[in-house]
Amino acid sequence: MPGTPQPPPLPVTADDVARAVRLAVTTLAEASGADWERQAGGLEWTCWETAEHLADDLFAYAVQLGPRTPPLDGEVPFVTGSRRPGGPATSVRADRSAGSAGLLQVLESCGALLAAMVRTTPPHVRSYHSNGVSDPEGFAAMGIVEILVHTHDLAEGLGLPWSPPADLCAPVLARLFPDAPAGTGPWPTLRWATGRGELPGRPRLTTWRWDGTPRP
């Protein structure tokens, strides 16, 4: 007998971006007195650098949708640079004198920019990303993946619990990782798909890539 048809995946929305940012900032605010110079999980960056990188990702996705005619062959040419050899190259940097509270304000502001651009950009608009020219929903999904997995890195480094809800993980898995295994929890599967965990019978990935191209 044929199986029951599966419902189409839910779209990824600006509200999802805002929710992911809110959950991340609320969690990370618990580490206000922690040492943000610790290594962030399995990354080679400090927690401070990783949070700046995350904010910069959200900013970059927002501005990629900003021009009246978004570019299809490259990124909007903001200048980027690293504070140190081996550190992340970013356009966005937080004033260290503002402490971790200021850093989280920078992160929250960049997330709000992305949510606003996704909310106001017509769905037919396309813009460049190295993993495939994408649409506003794709940039929303990419932003959420960045938030979820880098907050995981930060939580490991800062000693915080972090387990985002399944209904936030599942739509971005469907949008960006359509070939990811089925039948496993959305958050463990997202960690596996981004090289941050194992699944039963599936070793940790050493390379990975999402597909940001629009879905039919």
Side-chain angles (χ1 to χ4, degrees), residues 131-134 138 142 174-178 209-215:
N131 286 0
V133 169
S134 199
M142 289 185 271
R175 179 62 175 78
L176 298 179
F177 301 96
R209 180 184 175 91
W210 64 50
D211 180 1
T213 55
R215 298 289 175 260

Side-chain angles (χ1 to χ4, degrees), residues 11-196:
V12 183
T13 69
D15 288 343
D16 294 328
V17 175
R19 181 185 177 201
V21 172
R22 184 171 62 251
L23 290 171
V25 170
T26 299
T27 294
L28 297 173
E30 296 297 318
S32 59
D35 179 8
W36 285 70
E37 294 307 309
R38 297 175 186 169
Q39 181 178 341
L43 304 182
E44 296 181 353
W45 302 333
T46 68
C47 290
W48 186 282
E49 290 172 334
T50 301
E52 282 188 331
H53 166 78
L54 173 54
D56 189 76
D57 280 340
L58 302 179
F59 171 82
Y61 296 160
V63 299
Q64 202 64 23
L65 295 170
R68 182 174 57 182
T69 304
L72 299 178
D73 57 356
E75 297 174 350
V76 176
F78 283 88
V79 174
T80 63
S82 301
R83 293 182 186 268
R84 64 171 181 86
T90 63
S91 300
V92 172
R93 294 180 181 176
D95 182 351
R96 286 182 177 264
S97 68
S100 62
L103 176 62
L104 294 182
Q105 282 186 335
V106 170
L107 174 57
E108 190 171 18
S109 296
C110 290
L113 285 175
L114 178 58
M117 289 306 301
V118 170
R119 186 171 286 115
T120 57
T121 302
H124 69 269
V125 170
R126 302 289 183 266
S127 189
Y128 173 85
H129 186 275
S130 58
N131 286 0
V133 169
S134 199
D135 56 359
E137 184 194 15
F139 282 100
M142 289 185 271
I144 293 169
V145 169
E146 301 280 9
I147 294 164
L148 299 184
V149 301
H150 282 313
T151 302
H152 168 74
D153 300 328
L154 288 161
E156 283 194 336
L158 296 168
L160 299 170
W162 175 245
S163 183
D167 66 343
L168 193 55
C169 301
V172 298
L173 266 174
R175 179 62 175 78
L176 298 179
F177 301 96
D179 297 327
T184 52
W187 175 229
T189 304
L190 183 57
R191 290 204 317 270
W192 174 84
T194 55
R196 287 168 171 81

